[in-house]
Every structure is written in C-alpha cells, then in structure tokens.
Amino acid sequence: MANYIHVPSGSPEVPKLDVTVQDQEEQRCREGALSLLQHLRPHWDPQEVTLQLFTDGITNKLIGCYVGDTMEDVVLVRIYGNKTELLVDRDEEVKSFRVLQAHGCAPQLYCTFNNGLCYEFIQGEALDPKHVCNPAIFRLIARQLAKIHAIHAHNGWIPKSNLWLKMRKYFSLIPTGFADEDLNKRFLSDIPSSQILQEEMTWMKRILSNLGSPVVLCHNDLLCKNIIYNEKQGDVQFIDYEYCRELQGQWLRSYLEAYKEYKGFGTEVTEKEVEILFIQVNQFALASHFFWGLWALIQAKYSTIDFDFLGYAVVRFNQYFKMKPEVTALKMPE
C-alpha cells in the first residue's frame, strides 16, 4: 500500500453526476441507474435496458446495465455499501482507477455519482482457485500484477506505506459489542480482545517493517473473483498465496521475471530472490488476514448486505494465529 497517488497529466477527467442510486428497492434502483444511463448512453431506449445484479461482492452492490441479448456493451454501476466511506477513501480510489487506466491496467471509468461509480464491463470469466493453479493462467496473473507494482504513481516522490496507518484506523472503528444477543455472544467468545489485537498490531509493525519489502501501488483486494480471464485474447484483467510451496515458488518466479522486466532490470531471477520474496509474501500474509479481520468486524456493525461478516472475521483472525508461528520461523537466506 502506497500513499500519495499522482494521476498522469493528460488523463481524462471523470465526470461526477449528481445522482443517488437507491439500492433497497428494485424500482428506485432502476430509476437511479437509468438517470445515469441518460448521460452515459443517451441513445439507449430506457424501456429496453436490462439490469443484472452481480451477487459475488460483499462490500458494494454491482449492477450490469445493457440492451439486447449479447451484452456487447455493458455499463457497470457500483453502489457503495452502507458506511463504506469509513473504510475506503473514495477520492483515492478514483485516483487509483485513473492511474491504472492510464497504464492499460483497468477498465474505462465512465463517471462517479453521489454513492458510487460506473465503469466498463470486462468480457471474460471470473476465476476460481483451480484456475489460478494453471501455469498458463497464473503466469498471466503474475505478469499483470507485476505491471501494476512497477507503476511509479508518485510524481518523483519516494512512496511510503499507509498499511499501518490504515490498520490503526480500522482498529479504531471496530465495535465493542452488538445489540443482537446471539451476535454479541459470538463476538465476545470468538474474537480476540482489543488488547490482544493491539499487541499483535504492534508486533506486526515491528517485524514486517524490517523485511525490506518495496512499497508499491497495490490492488489490495485481489480475490480470485476479482481476476477476469479472457481465453480468446489470452490475457487477464485482474491470488491467494495459500497454495503448496512448489506452486508458490513457480508463481513468485513468474512475478519476479515480469517485475524486473517492467523495471528495466532484465528477466534473470535467482533462487535467492525467489526465497526472499517467498518469505516476505508469507509473513505479510499475516497483515492481510489481520487487516481483513478488522474490516469484517466493521462490516458486521454497519453493512446491510446479508452476509456473516462476524464469521468471516473469526476465520481471518484464526488463520492469522494459525500461520503466525509457521511463517515467523522462516529465515532469510544468507
């Protein structure tokens, strides 16, 4: 995670439309989406527009809008989830989107509106874990990820990580209890105390900050379902690192080869470089589990989406404590 994102000069401005899309009632949701489409696709007949709800997301609501049967031109309308402005800096999100778009790493961003944004639909297949074990596909993913990480989006500034600042912010927002008796009972029994969480954050910052991992522009939510694979074009537009060590080693080597190529360092990668990255990745996976555990607790308090966020928090914190002794035992090569 790097702060201070600079949008390249010449990047097109993104229109901001004074429209609010209500997502609780289907008819009002449609009315809001059609208001957006009047600006984005004025030639579309509102009577012919189909709205399709995509159900995989658990932070925002995502709706595809199109006419006809072929879905050749689809406008995606993303409606921000309740109180997600506590978790996401929306201005920085738009800047990141524009930077990635300028480097050919993101779909076209059509506009923002009062409670969301609209962007281009990428044709292809959302991946699952079995896909990302396929060498032909994971090499494409590694290359695309390396391309993003090689982008210098800070206008000459040396980027600084905002991971610990953001983690502290999330920690300050987690609930201390729930009004629902059953939910509160689970919270008190299954979630570590705030004192333990604070001690773990302090420990992580001390240990992980000394790994020498570069600060780069990150996706930060690279779930399999956020990676779109187009077999016909042979590319991915936007893994989870918890696979067997042999596969992870192959994946990391592909990533390093592409990263060094994009940075102009050639493509030769040594075993020592792979080993160092293996240790960095696996130890930083602790921060990922912890971060998303905090995120899930906040969502459990505020989100209106029907999902067991508290259960998800338990899974992430359990994985953090399970992995901690395993990955901290890893030693950097001499």
Side-chain angles (χ1 to χ4, degrees):
M1 294 182 178
N3 60 4
Y4 185 62
I5 296 172
H6 174 76
V7 179
S9 58
S11 296
E13 291 296 321
V14 179
K16 181 173 177 58
L17 303 181
D18 186 18
V19 174
T20 300
V21 181
Q22 303 292 338
D23 64 343
Q24 299 301 315
E25 299 176 21
E26 184 177 344
Q27 182 56 35
R28 296 185 69 184
C29 179
R30 181 177 178 85
E31 291 169 359
L34 291 177
S35 294
L36 296 169
L37 294 174
Q38 284 180 351
H39 297 272
L40 303 176
R41 297 294 186 273
H43 57 286
W44 283 6
D45 181 349
Q47 302 296 324
E48 299 295 323
V49 173
T50 298
L51 268 59
Q52 179 179 337
L53 178 65
F54 294 86
T55 57
D56 285 330
I58 58 173
T59 304
N60 312 293
K61 288 195 174 179
L62 189 63
I63 299 168
C65 306
Y66 58 95
V67 294
D69 300 321
T70 59
M71 296 185 69
E72 289 182 3
D73 181 16
V74 182
V75 175
L76 291 178
V77 178
R78 187 208 292 174
I79 307 168
Y80 299 145
N82 185 45
K83 298 290 185 181
T84 53
E85 68 276 7
L86 296 173
L87 302 166
V88 180
D89 183 325
R90 296 302 181 186
D91 290 335
E92 287 299 299
E93 178 188 30
V94 171
K95 282 185 182 180
S96 297
F97 214 125
R98 293 175 66 195
V99 168
L100 293 173
Q101 184 179 317
H103 288 84
C105 297
Q108 183 179 351
L109 181 59
Y110 295 135
C111 74
T112 65
F113 54 96
N114 295 338
N115 62 326
L117 47 81
C118 298
Y119 55 98
E120 176 188 12
F121 176 76
I122 299 294
Q123 299 289 342
E125 178 184 6
L127 301 185
D128 59 34
K130 75 173 187 293
H131 287 113
V132 295
C133 293
N134 180 332
I137 296 177
F138 78 58
R139 289 192 180 99
L140 292 173
I141 299 169
R143 186 168 185 84
Q144 183 73 355
L145 189 59
K147 183 178 180 180
I148 290 175
H149 288 177
I151 294 171
H152 189 75
H154 303 89
N155 200 27
W157 291 69
I158 297 174
K160 295 182 179 180
S161 172
N162 65 356
L163 170 62
W164 310 114
L165 186 66
K166 186 166 285 191
M167 192 177 286
R168 284 283 173 189
K169 178 184 177 182
Y170 278 24
F171 177 75
S172 72
L173 295 171
I174 63 174
T176 55
F178 293 88
D180 182 279
E181 188 175 338
D182 291 337
L183 200 62
N184 195 56
K185 190 174 180 179
R186 288 174 61 202
F187 171 73
L188 295 175
S189 64
D190 297 342
I191 298 296
S193 69
S194 60
Q195 180 180 344
I196 291 174
L197 294 178
Q198 194 154 21
E199 289 171 354
E200 292 298 324
M201 282 194 299
T202 302
W203 175 86
M204 268 192 296
K205 183 177 181 180
R206 177 171 57 85
I207 298 298
L208 301 183
S209 296
N210 292 321
L211 283 178
S213 183
V215 178
V216 296
L217 186 66
C218 289
H219 183 285
N220 291 329
D221 192 20
L222 204 55
L223 304 172
C224 293
K225 292 297 183 182
N226 284 339
I227 304 171
I228 306 300
Y229 172 55
N230 189 312
E231 186 175 9
K232 184 183 296 184
Q233 296 181 8
D235 66 11
V236 294
Q237 293 280 349
F238 288 90
I239 152 169
D240 196 336
Y241 290 108
E242 292 160 23
Y243 299 109
C244 72
R245 176 152 182 160
E246 180 184 357
L247 176 60
Q248 193 175 18
Q250 294 171 9
W251 199 99
L252 295 176
R253 179 174 289 278
S254 295
Y255 167 84
L256 280 173
E257 289 170 349
Y259 182 76
K260 294 179 79 170
E261 180 185 339
Y262 282 121
K263 298 294 280 187
F265 301 146
T267 59
E268 185 177 342
V269 174
T270 66
E271 284 299 323
K272 183 177 180 179
E273 288 175 315
V274 174
E275 182 70 14
I276 289 172
L277 184 58
F278 176 85
I279 294 170
Q280 290 173 332
V281 162
N282 280 279
Q283 292 191 358
F284 263 101
L286 292 174
S288 176
H289 286 300
F290 199 93
F291 189 86
W292 289 108
L294 296 177
W295 170 88
L297 288 179
I298 300 167
Q299 290 285 61
K301 180 178 180 181
Y302 293 112
S303 180
T304 58
I305 293 174
D306 184 17
F307 182 80
D308 182 13
F309 287 102
L310 183 59
Y312 185 69
V314 171
V315 168
R316 296 307 292 253
F317 284 127
N318 284 349
Q319 189 64 17
Y320 168 87
F321 286 105
K322 176 186 175 185
M323 284 186 66
K324 184 180 176 181
E326 300 171 6
V327 299
T328 52
L330 299 170
K331 303 300 180 186
M332 286 289 185
E334 297 296 330

